[in-house]
Amino acid sequence: KPSKMLIKNLALVDQDTNLPTRIEWKYQQTAVDTDRYQRVRQSVVSGDITGKPKEAKPKRKVREPHPTKDTPTRLAQIRTWIGPWEFFTEEQKEFIIEDSQEKIDLPNLQSKLPELFYNNVEEVQEY
């Protein structure tokens, strides 16, 4: 007849000795950064560090995108707003073009200014 069992009566099998063992949690320095420590499981019998089995890691489901409620990736990557260039009046745009031609040495500067504003280039930050 199946009955309940206390978890303290269970033991893991040591991989080296094949004997039942308890597990202690220790802190070990990481290989990348010696100032940091990571929590590891250590066998009491052999002292070896044992990792958790793959079955212990939670499995996460990645849901399929909803056909009508989720935005497709190809549409989400399209840039629809260029930047603050559209908010300037025509007079302001002419002034910025004339003023920036002295500071920025680029061919066809007038067509590239909206992209410079979008990327927040240092030369156009003052406008």
Side-chain angles (χ1 to χ4, degrees), residues 51-104:
K52 288 188 176 181
K54 293 179 183 177
E55 296 84 19
K57 294 182 180 178
K59 295 179 182 176
R60 297 184 182 180
K61 290 183 179 179
V62 178
R63 66 176 180 81
E64 292 293 321
H66 192 274
T68 57
K69 294 182 181 178
D70 291 331
T71 305
T73 307
R74 61 180 173 75
L75 293 178
Q77 292 175 346
I78 296 172
R79 188 173 75 192
T80 56
W81 185 72
I82 295 176
W85 182 251
E86 298 123 10
F87 299 124
F88 291 121
T89 63
E90 291 300 320
E91 297 166 352
Q92 291 172 326
K93 288 179 184 180
E94 290 174 11
F95 173 77
I96 292 172
I97 291 169
E98 290 173 9
D99 191 43
S100 60
Q101 283 177 345
E102 300 169 1
K103 297 178 183 177
I104 304 170

